[in-house]
Amino acid sequence: MSTPVIRLATTSDLERINAIYNHFVLTCTCTYQEVPDTLEDRARWFAAHGKAHPVTVAEVDGVVLGWGSLSHFHPRSAFRFTVENSIYIDPNAQGKGLGRLMMADLIQRATQLGHTNIVAAIDSLQTGSVILHEKFGFQKVGHLKRVGFKFNRWLDMIYLQLPLQQAG
């Protein structure tokens, strides 16, 4: 695999971002969404992000193989310095270090943007995602039992948190 490039996403990446995400909607508990997004849904999602909440892609030889984002953690204004991260890697490109590169990039971007915390909400069965987050210093701060129901089974959600800097 050639050297990956991590860059800000553009609207021309949305079709590929959506294809990667929808694969996991239909096959995995890494998202609790059950109905695939349309391209229009993805465009609205992208438009809601902006400079303080970037969407990035991992591109190899001109092909987007993964994407990440920093999103609002909560709509109330007092939460404005805390973000939630997401990373999704094409299943055919997993295990090649793209998630690690994307995580490092998102942490750097969050720090530069002045965010003070990154929170990750992860299905308890997604041990690979938990391990990736822990390698970057995220710590488990909560475990919500039976809060999701997908593929005819109850799911537990765990929360991990990475403090970035002390608030002023």
Side-chain angles (χ1 to χ4, degrees), residues 118-130:
I118 301 176
V119 174
I122 304 172
D123 178 73
S124 64
L125 300 176
Q126 300 301 316
T127 54
S129 183
V130 172

Side-chain angles (χ1 to χ4, degrees), residues 9-142:
T10 67
T11 55
S12 65
D13 298 315
L14 294 182
E15 189 170 332
R16 187 72 180 116
I17 288 169
N18 208 40
I20 293 168
Y21 182 72
N22 283 341
H23 166 81
F24 293 104
V25 168
L26 296 172
T27 64
C28 187
T29 60
C30 61
T31 175
Y32 284 10
Q33 184 167 330
E34 297 178 283
V35 177
D37 277 340
T38 66
L39 198 50
E40 293 77 23
D41 295 331
R42 183 62 50 198
R44 279 190 296 278
W45 167 86
F46 185 70
H49 272 73
K51 288 185 181 185
H53 300 93
V55 177
T56 60
V57 293
E59 186 177 72
V60 178
D61 296 328
V63 177
V64 171
L65 295 178
W67 64 270
S69 66
L70 297 174
S71 301
H72 291 274
F73 171 66
H74 194 282
R76 294 201 171 110
S77 64
F79 292 100
R80 68 187 170 278
F81 298 108
T82 299
V83 291
E84 182 177 349
N85 76 324
S86 297
I87 296 174
Y88 289 88
I89 305 297
D90 182 298
N92 297 315
Q94 290 180 349
K96 298 180 172 145
L98 289 177
R100 195 172 55 253
L101 290 172
M102 298 202 77
M103 180 71 76
D105 179 76
L106 286 176
I107 292 169
Q108 181 180 20
R109 288 178 193 274
T111 302
Q112 290 171 344
L113 289 164
H115 297 298
T116 59
N117 290 280
I118 301 176
V119 174
I122 304 172
D123 178 73
S124 64
L125 300 176
Q126 300 301 316
T127 54
S129 183
V130 172
I131 290 168
L132 173 65
H133 283 79
E134 288 175 340
K135 284 182 180 178
F136 281 90
F138 283 77
Q139 294 183 346
K140 183 178 175 182
V141 293

